[in-house]
Amino acid sequence: MVKIDLTGKTILLTGASDGIGKGLASYLLAMGAKLAVHYNSNKGSAETLVNEYPRRAKAFQADLSEEAEVFSLFERVEAHFKKIDVIILNAGVFLKHSSTSNTKDWLAVWKKTIAINLDAVGLLTKLGLDHFLKVKEGRFIYIGSRAVFRGETEEYLGYAASKGGLTSLARSVARSFGKQNIKSFIVSPGFTRTQMAERFIETHGEERILNEIALNELTTPQDLTALIGLMCSGGMDHATGATIDVNAGSHIR
């Protein structure tokens, strides 16, 4: 494990109870950070993290598809921790909606995907900007996707579109607010061994995915943690606006 001292950093991490978020939450806490552990439904996983670090972690439930809950999440985190140093926008859904399906059903999945993956991210960005401008510093880290640059299969058009919007938002924040000491980064994974990806693997098979990548094994959440930790620490501030690919060589730009 690469060690990066995050003592004194307060971080809000969305989607912290599963997948990439859970691995990242464990790493950030092990490195000394204070952490707002956001979850939607997996309360047990979130509380396990908090119980391990009760003096530095607190769990916050919110359904990010509901605008009022997004507002409430940020207000509760700000009230508890007072000053937030980093916001990691990791929560997202990977919902299938084939173009061969009923159009109303297709649109319902599109709307839910955009609500969670982009609308909530946009609102948390605005709330975060207000906070960072007040405290005169801050960092955003957006978890994007290889799909933005390579495209996605036709079943996941909403997912690819949402991550494209997220990436453009993150770049625009970097360009617009750097002079106010606010930095913004994008981490762009490919297939990462998480519950979300496992559903795709069950349908299409692991061999298909392994044939797409340059390495012999799938990326894991732990392959992203040190990079994100370095962004949180301030050690990558002059890379603000950058997108870092972590996709096992499956798409090289």
Side-chain angles (χ1 to χ4, degrees):
M1 178 188 292
V2 178
K3 295 185 177 181
I4 298 170
D5 186 8
L6 297 176
T7 304
K9 299 292 184 187
T10 298
I11 301 169
L12 164 58
L13 170 61
T14 67
S17 63
D18 293 294
I20 290 173
K22 184 175 182 179
L24 182 55
S26 295
Y27 177 83
L28 297 173
L29 287 165
M31 296 301 105
K34 295 179 182 177
L35 190 67
V37 179
H38 161 258
Y39 71 98
N40 179 21
S41 58
N42 198 345
K43 182 178 180 180
S45 178
E47 288 186 341
T48 297
L49 288 164
V50 172
N51 291 338
E52 190 172 356
Y53 299 93
R55 300 173 73 176
R56 290 191 282 110
K58 184 173 174 59
F60 297 86
Q61 191 280 332
D63 179 350
L64 299 185
S65 69
E66 298 291 335
E67 181 181 302
E69 294 197 29
V70 180
F71 274 105
S72 173
L73 169 65
F74 195 87
E75 289 167 0
R76 285 179 284 139
V77 171
E78 190 176 37
H80 181 79
F81 288 104
K82 308 306 180 188
K83 181 177 184 287
I84 303 166
D85 299 292
V86 184
I87 298 173
I88 304 176
L89 296 152
N90 164 72
V93 291
F94 186 63
L95 302 176
K96 183 177 180 179
H97 61 148
S98 174
S99 59
T100 61
S101 63
N102 174 278
T103 301
K104 288 186 177 179
D105 294 339
W106 184 95
L107 183 59
V109 175
W110 172 280
K111 287 182 175 180
K112 182 174 182 179
T113 300
I114 296 298
I116 296 170
N117 291 9
L118 187 56
D119 290 346
V121 168
L123 179 50
L124 286 170
T125 296
K126 173 58 168 69
L127 295 168
L129 285 169
D130 291 345
H131 180 83
F132 290 158
L133 289 169
K134 181 173 62 179
V135 301
K136 303 189 185 307
E137 63 178 337
R139 296 178 181 87
F140 291 101
I141 301 170
Y142 297 80
I143 306 302
S145 173
R146 172 189 67 181
V148 175
F149 308 101
R150 195 193 69 160
E152 193 45 90
T153 60
E154 65 89 18
E155 302 100 326
Y156 298 99
L157 298 183
Y159 175 80
S162 69
K163 291 298 185 177
L166 173 150
T167 300
S168 183
L169 169 64
R171 290 171 169 175
S172 299
V173 168
R175 292 197 66 204
S176 300
F177 294 96
K179 297 294 187 185
Q180 285 77 40
N181 204 25
I182 297 171
K183 292 86 177 180
S184 173
F185 311 91
I186 308 103
V187 177
S188 182
F191 264 96
T192 306
R193 191 174 286 281
T194 64
Q195 288 179 330
M196 190 165 70
E198 289 294 347
R199 291 192 291 272
F200 186 94
I201 292 170
E202 288 173 7
T203 301
H204 299 280
E206 186 167 342
E207 185 176 354
R208 171 177 166 178
I209 298 168
L210 288 173
N211 287 339
E212 292 184 359
I213 67 176
L215 303 181
N216 292 318
E217 57 188 17
L218 286 178
T219 304
T220 68
Q222 288 68 37
D223 294 313
L224 286 76
T225 54
L227 170 65
I228 295 172
L230 187 59
M231 291 174 173
C232 291
S233 75
M236 286 189 67
D237 280 358
H238 282 263
T240 189
T243 301
I244 310 297
D245 296 319
V246 187
N247 62 42
S250 60
H251 183 70
I252 299 172
R253 295 184 290 131

